[in-house]
Amino acid sequence: MYEQVSHSLLNAILDDLKPEIRRQDLRHFYTRLGANFYAIYSLFFTLYGHRVDFKAQMLRLVETMARGYIDRSAELERIDIEREQDHNWFLSQKWVGMALYTNGFADNLADLVTKTAYFQELGINLVHIMPILMCPTGKSDGGYAVSDFRQVDDRLGDLNDLRRVAEEFRKRDILLVLDVVMNHTSDEHEWARKASMGDSRYQDYYFVFDNREIPDMFEQTMPQIFPESAPGNFTWNAQMQKWVMTVFHDYQWDLNYSNPEVFIEMLDIILFWANQGVDILRLDAVAFLWKKIGSSCQNERNAHLILQLMKDCCQVTAPGVLFIAEAIVTPLEVIKYFGEDAIIAKECEIAYNATLMALLWDAIATQNTKLLYQGVKNLPAKLERATWLNYVRCHDDIGFGFDDNDIRAAGYEPYAHRQFLVNYFSGQFEGSPARGMVFMRNETTGDARISGSLASLAGLEAGQENNDQGLIDAAIKKILLLHSLILSFGGIPLFYNGDALGVVNDYGYRDDPGKSDDNRWIHRPKINWDRAELRKKQGTTEYSLFNAMKKMIAIRKETSAFADFNNREVVEVDNSHLLCFIRFNHDRPSERVLVVANFDANPQYLDLYLLRSRGIDPFGQFIDAYSGGKPAQYDRRIVLQGYQFYWLTEI
Ligand code: GLC
Ligand code: GLC
């Protein structure tokens, strides 16, 4: 498309570029800038076109991209070009991820390098290292309150250590994922300090107000994220004598993206990390990027425009780098973070599938799949070149944010059902083996979330404490069942540190004043590597879990039908304890896998007669890819043990 206004502006900008930038070999950069410029210009204009300094800001934006490109190494540029040619590379079933805190997995970044063999032993080839940047002690929100976006926390190492991690990962074909906390900074960040001291340029980086008038208006429609430990969305700053917007904790200041300088600063930071060899950037709390009075200040259209602009700019400089959207919102909203009205992702290529995660936990608690089916069926179709991050546990709490209509359709009353789930996972429900903790009960709305490690929520902690082998076995089966589903559903499975070893809750956070008001620390444990050796000793829980996971991962990697090309058909069956879907190879649709999972503690059967319309022979013969054997079958029924799953292929 030839668009005069944007093209003449582009020419003017190129004339104005600083001489040291003009002199470099920018061939690929110019090609990509030319291709993306109309989109970049239009988005930047929509967001900032009303400002008198629009053109000057636009020039700074292009300079930032150009400088980022000049700093990009030849090796990274080679990878960019490779990925541009093989643009579906991340949809492959070969990727299997793990998220970890550096000091929960190793002593520091240097020590992490020495432990990478563990990833390969298990089959992990995508590692999300949780925030590693400078954070004030005790006011860090687990690393999500950054005080310097370019400095590694010296307790973990320095930039050279991180580069070594990136190199080591690249050698072993492991993708590196790091966070960029886009929505807010720590109150000790230089920008916030300058703002506190009265510098109005930096006050414009945030939302600051002289009195409560506007904050009170915002509060009328904004929900609370941490109602127990950080009520309200604004904090009084005595030094500045002003109120500042702090949606998360009072020490996390929300950045103001209606200021183009903020956007350009954050783009610069994103490109900086892309140039350190990061393959995928996790963009934190993206739903919150735009604030509008009268709204919940989540999922605003301009938040999407900011992300589209970020993607377009990043593609010019570092096109091989992907974005993960961390937006823990309803399915209808989350799907928009891939980009609306697009075929390929134009915002983030990957998004957390929080809906599936919460639905899986619902099925564990209820031992039935009524809500799970409802939710999976209503999961909107996603774009062709975009994928889910499927997970069971992560470093955050579990919220039961299902659609109320889905809950009703499953036959429950929404409020009572959520209460049941909270009671079940906090072990207050009679007979529940779960050992979670209630997180952030909101007395006004009645809402509450759950903290706890996978093993403890599945009943392993209770089983081990009471020496109850039955409970232990059931917990192991539940853990494997959940993992079998995130491995086969479609998308990138993301395990959490310790979950392949059955690591239970860590109550040590209670003694640390910087952590004691946040029970999410219960599920951010440190691996005990002596104990982890038990994964090599037959008969231990560690052995059972680790080896089963390792086997599942290896099978996933060999099963083309598990790649993510919108190649899943959900199958309704007449047994409400089962979840059943078909995955097929998108190149050869006859090559398919029938996934069946039993959430009940008791044996259940699947009537194959109901699968006739899917072309499955009710009297056909099957092989279970996981066990390597034939499933128990009689008549036209396939039988599953309590908490068993199958990955069936027809023979
Ligand atoms: C993200 C993180 C969470 C943190 C929040 C605020 O959602 O996952 O741990 O509390 O952002 O930074
Ligand atoms: C909310 C936010 C999410 C954050 C979490 C932390 O669910 O939507 O971004 O990670 O709170 O508990």
Side-chain angles (χ1 to χ4, degrees):
M1 172 200 267
Y2 190 70
E3 208 283 326
Q4 289 86 346
V5 180
S6 69
H7 280 79
S8 61
L9 178 64
L10 177 57
N11 284 330
I13 286 177
L14 295 180
D15 286 343
D16 286 351
L17 271 191
K18 298 215 170 81
E20 72 273 16
I21 291 180
R22 253 186 293 147
R23 268 200 309 274
Q24 309 278 338
D25 172 14
L26 297 177
R27 189 167 60 95
H28 285 123
F29 174 77
Y30 283 143
T31 317
R32 294 182 190 129
L33 182 63
N36 277 17
F37 192 74
Y38 178 63
I40 291 174
Y41 164 80
S42 307
L43 288 164
F44 204 69
F45 188 83
T46 308
L47 290 161
Y48 309 116
H50 58 282
R51 293 180 52 118
V52 288
D53 61 350
F54 173 71
K55 278 193 184 157
Q57 296 292 354
M58 191 78 216
L59 172 63
R60 280 194 55 210
L61 183 75
V62 176
E63 270 174 9
T64 304
M65 287 187 267
R67 233 181 270 113
Y69 179 78
I70 291 166
D71 288 345
R72 198 151 175 80
S73 71
E75 169 65 1
L76 292 177
E77 164 124 59
R78 187 189 59 72
I79 294 169
D80 286 337
I81 291 169
E82 217 174 79
R83 289 182 182 164
E84 276 179 324
Q85 282 161 358
D86 179 19
H87 48 246
N88 283 339
W89 66 274
F90 63 99
L91 304 178
S92 161
Q93 75 281 3
K94 97 171 214 194
W95 303 113
V96 178
M98 181 184 284
L100 50 88
Y101 270 105
T102 306
N103 58 9
F105 182 78
D107 294 335
N108 49 36
L109 288 168
D111 186 40
L112 191 146
V113 174
T114 69
K115 294 193 160 58
T116 41
Y118 176 81
F119 301 128
Q120 280 175 312
E121 188 188 338
L122 184 57
I124 298 296
N125 52 14
L126 177 155
V127 178
H128 172 204
I129 302 183
M130 306 283 300
I132 53 168
L133 301 184
M134 290 267 284
C135 269
T137 316
K139 292 190 335 178
S140 76
D141 190 20
Y144 288 97
V146 178
S147 51
D148 188 334
F149 285 111
R150 289 183 170 80
Q151 278 278 328
V152 174
D153 183 334
D154 45 26
R155 285 163 292 190
L156 303 178
D158 59 21
L159 207 49
N160 281 327
D161 293 320
L162 195 266
R163 289 200 190 108
R164 238 164 272 133
V165 171
E167 257 166 52
E168 185 68 22
F169 278 14
R170 182 138 299 127
K171 244 191 280 164
R172 297 177 185 248
D173 200 18
I174 297 174
L175 300 174
L176 172 61
V177 185
L178 288 188
D179 286 84
V180 171
V181 184
M182 276 181 84
N183 180 67
H184 43 259
T185 73
S186 153
D187 60 353
E188 293 188 23
H189 189 283
E190 192 194 350
W191 303 334
R193 286 193 184 185
K194 287 185 174 159
S196 298
M197 288 185 304
D199 187 333
S200 63
R201 172 169 173 209
Y202 289 99
Q203 289 184 355
D204 284 347
Y205 274 42
Y206 302 97
F207 297 93
V208 295
F209 304 97
D210 294 333
N211 55 44
R212 286 292 310 183
E213 192 184 355
I214 296 172
D216 283 343
M217 284 191 233
F218 268 113
E219 288 288 12
Q220 289 180 32
T221 49
M222 285 175 91
Q224 307 223 15
I225 305 300
F226 299 132
E228 286 181 9
S229 56
N233 289 289
F234 294 84
T235 301
W236 173 249
N237 183 279
Q239 197 181 359
M240 184 163 66
Q241 288 287 305
K242 287 182 200 291
W243 290 93
V244 55
M245 186 186 280
T246 54
V247 169
F248 290 87
H249 293 97
D250 57 10
Y251 52 80
Q252 288 166 303
W253 290 23
D254 286 68
L255 284 165
N256 176 5
Y257 280 88
S258 69
N259 178 353
E261 284 187 37
V262 169
F263 180 87
I264 294 169
E265 296 265 22
M266 292 315 290
L267 171 65
D268 201 25
I269 288 158
I270 282 187
L271 298 179
F272 174 81
W273 287 104
N275 284 344
Q276 307 307 316
V278 178
D279 298 285
I280 306 180
L281 290 167
R282 174 190 186 272
L283 305 183
D284 178 60
V286 288
F288 297 83
L289 290 178
W290 194 266
K291 316 298 198 282
K292 196 170 95 185
I293 286 186
S295 78
S296 67
C297 296
Q298 289 184 41
N299 306 313
E300 280 298 309
R301 183 177 133 79
N302 281 358
H304 289 285
L305 300 189
I306 300 273
L307 289 169
Q308 284 170 25
L309 184 58
M310 209 48 108
K311 178 85 279 191
D312 281 330
C313 293
C314 190
Q315 265 173 353
V316 172
T317 301
V321 172
L322 305 183
F323 290 170
I324 299 177
E326 191 252 348
I328 311 303
V329 297
T330 63
L332 276 177
E333 292 297 341
V334 80
I335 207 92
K336 296 180 189 161
Y337 290 91
F338 295 128
E340 268 184 295
D341 311 322
I343 297 173
I344 60 169
K346 62 176 183 182
E347 290 184 23
C348 300
E349 291 86 352
I350 308 171
Y352 275 76
N353 197 348
T355 300
L356 178 66
M357 180 277 296
L359 289 167
L360 290 172
W361 284 112
D362 182 273
I364 288 288
T366 58
Q367 298 200 31
N368 78 58
T369 53
K370 286 189 282 186
L371 187 52
L372 178 57
Y373 257 106
Q374 205 57 35
V376 167
K377 264 192 329 207
N378 291 343
L379 207 59
K382 76 185 162 39
L383 306 180
E384 258 169 46
R385 212 180 298 155
T387 195
W388 293 117
L389 204 60
N390 292 320
Y391 63 111
V392 179
R393 285 302 290 121
C394 70
H395 69 292
D396 276 331
D397 46 288
I398 303 173
F400 301 107
F402 322 111
D403 193 310
D404 281 358
N405 291 323
D406 285 349
I407 304 185
R408 283 191 203 97
Y412 312 114
E413 194 281 311
Y415 183 82
H417 188 62
R418 288 201 183 87
Q419 285 298 316
F420 158 72
L421 292 172
V422 169
N423 290 340
Y424 180 90
F425 287 112
S426 56
Q428 296 168 57
F429 185 80
E430 177 77 35
S432 162
R435 286 279 174 88
M437 291 181 82
V438 179
F439 180 68
M440 296 293 151
R441 191 180 288 285
N442 185 327
E443 296 302 343
T444 323
T445 61
D447 183 43
R449 285 122 72 190
I450 286 289
S451 288
S453 76
L454 169 57
S456 294
L457 293 176
L460 190 61
E461 188 183 331
Q464 285 172 341
E465 218 173 80
N466 302 325
N467 248 323
D468 181 336
Q469 197 55 42
L471 217 49
I472 294 175
D473 290 342
I476 293 175
K477 284 186 198 152
K478 285 187 225 176
I479 293 171
L480 297 180
L481 175 75
L482 291 166
H483 281 137
S484 79
L485 289 167
I486 62 164
L487 280 159
S488 61
F489 187 77
I492 302 172
L494 184 73
F495 299 116
Y496 189 65
N497 186 26
D499 285 351
L501 297 165
V503 175
V504 298
N505 288 346
D506 173 2
Y507 298 94
Y509 79 100
R510 289 171 171 159
D511 307 325
D512 180 338
K515 294 178 176 168
S516 55
D517 68 348
D518 188 342
N519 64 28
R520 287 177 299 171
W521 287 102
I522 204 175
H523 52 251
R524 298 171 181 175
K526 189 166 170 72
I527 299 281
N528 173 339
W529 285 102
D530 290 334
R531 179 116 197 236
E533 280 297 302
L534 292 177
R535 72 186 184 279
K536 297 170 186 158
K537 192 169 169 224
Q538 228 161 335
T540 63
T541 300
E542 286 79 1
Y543 179 93
S544 307
L545 280 174
F546 190 87
N547 288 288
M549 301 260 293
K550 182 172 161 172
K551 184 168 162 192
M552 281 195 251
I553 292 172
I555 296 169
R556 166 184 159 96
K557 290 183 179 176
E558 284 167 15
T559 309
S560 315
F562 287 167
D564 191 20
F565 291 95
N566 286 330
N567 46 339
R568 177 184 52 250
E569 284 175 20
V570 178
V571 184
E572 300 259 12
V573 295
D574 67 349
N575 184 330
S576 63
H577 301 286
L578 304 183
L579 177 67
C580 181
F581 54 82
I582 296 172
R583 301 296 319 277
F584 54 90
N585 181 330
H586 77 298
D587 287 329
R588 290 181 298 278
S590 62
E591 211 180 286
R592 52 191 183 174
V593 179
L594 177 64
V595 175
V596 198
N598 178 14
F599 280 87
D600 195 19
N602 299 314
Q604 294 291 337
Y605 68 81
L606 167 70
D607 187 349
L608 288 171
Y609 200 64
L610 298 167
L611 304 186
R612 273 168 11 258
S613 61
R614 311 281 174 157
I616 286 178
D617 175 1
F619 298 97
Q621 295 292 308
F622 297 86
I623 286 281
D624 172 28
Y626 176 63
S627 65
K630 290 186 174 178
Q633 201 170 351
Y634 78 94
D635 209 357
R636 44 177 219 212
R637 289 172 175 163
I638 283 187
V639 188
L640 296 98
Q641 295 287 358
Y643 306 122
Q644 194 184 359
F645 71 92
Y646 285 130
W647 288 345
L648 300 175
T649 52
E650 291 150 292
I651 47 174

